[in-house]
Amino acid sequence: MEDTLNDLGDYIAGRAGRSVISWDVTLGELSIVTTRDSLSSLMKLIRDDSNCLLKVLVDVTATDYPEREERFEIVYNLLSLSHNHRVRVKVATDEKTPVPSIVPLFSAAGWFEREVWDMFGVFFTDHPDLRRMLTDYGFEGHPLRKDFPLTGYVEVRYDEEQKRVVYEPVKLTQDFRSFDFMSPWEGAEYILPGDEKSKKDPAEKAS
């Protein structure tokens, strides 16, 4: 299988030319890195070429590397039912630069790209209906970014007086609590309810 994927990687790189920045085979899957400008042409090539036939778009997701200049890596997972192999296509972008939508090539990308936009804030040009999908319309930020606060920015509740849903800044008021992290196998140094019975003298127990 690895030899087959290496041959496929060589073939795609040869056909696509400068559209392929790099490629490698890892864990039984071929990964191809391309550019934003070449994404659509590469996806069309690997979809229609008889040696590829990657006609099933399994998923579109993203990863966030805040330390990189282009912090987001958009990942397209494709499957060929005809040849029984999987290919992963990656393209990098930053917070402001959009990525071409592949909805004209794979209709399933519509939902996937909306999710990436909602969770990571990556904009897709020429998407027919790019809007939030998992969060609310008034939601601030993009939850899967590494710099998004774990508590979020606002909390949502229904206000009985106003008879509507309201957004308020997050409040994490909590009483101080002291936790005992002692291992139960080592035994606690204090007496738990009921343990006082085990401390009785053996003679006392016999009586």
Side-chain angles (χ1 to χ4, degrees), residues 104-123:
L105 298 172
F106 298 91
S107 58
W111 288 89
F112 296 139
E113 290 176 355
R114 280 182 61 186
E115 183 178 9
V116 172
W117 156 247
D118 195 359
M119 296 291 103
F120 292 92
V122 176
F123 191 83

Side-chain angles (χ1 to χ4, degrees), residues 67-192:
E67 68 281 0
R68 297 181 183 177
E69 185 176 350
E70 293 186 316
R71 64 183 289 183
F72 299 113
E73 194 172 72
I74 314 304
V75 183
Y76 303 84
N77 295 303
L78 299 111
L79 168 68
S80 171
L81 297 175
S82 301
H83 299 296
N84 191 28
H85 54 229
R86 296 177 182 271
V87 172
R88 180 175 293 119
V89 176
K90 300 178 182 179
V91 59
T93 191
D94 55 29
E95 298 178 44
K96 298 180 180 178
T97 310
V99 175
S101 173
I102 60 167
V103 171
L105 298 172
F106 298 91
S107 58
W111 288 89
F112 296 139
E113 290 176 355
R114 280 182 61 186
E115 183 178 9
V116 172
W117 156 247
D118 195 359
M119 296 291 103
F120 292 92
V122 176
F123 191 83
F124 294 89
T125 55
D126 300 322
H127 189 286
D129 186 25
L130 192 63
R131 54 194 168 92
R132 289 190 181 271
M133 184 171 69
L134 299 177
T135 59
D136 190 62
Y137 291 108
F139 192 87
E140 290 184 40
H142 304 279
L144 290 187
R145 287 188 176 185
K146 294 288 180 64
D147 52 7
F148 187 80
L150 295 178
T151 58
Y153 295 104
V154 295
E155 58 186 1
V156 183
R157 68 177 179 84
Y158 182 79
D159 189 282
E160 281 291 345
E161 294 182 0
Q162 301 182 50
K163 300 298 181 183
R164 66 181 182 86
V165 174
V166 296
Y167 292 81
E168 296 177 332
V170 174
K171 298 176 183 177
L172 295 176
T173 305
Q174 178 176 295
D175 294 333
F176 175 77
R177 291 183 292 173
S178 179
F179 295 93
D180 178 15
F181 296 104
M182 181 179 293
S183 168
W185 287 273
E186 295 173 0
E189 296 178 357
Y190 49 83
I191 298 176
L192 296 172

Side-chain angles (χ1 to χ4, degrees), residues 25-41:
V25 177
T26 305
L27 300 176
E29 291 189 10
L30 172 63
S31 294
I32 300 172
V33 180
T34 187
T35 63
R36 292 184 295 271
D37 294 338
S38 303
L39 176 64
S40 297
S41 59

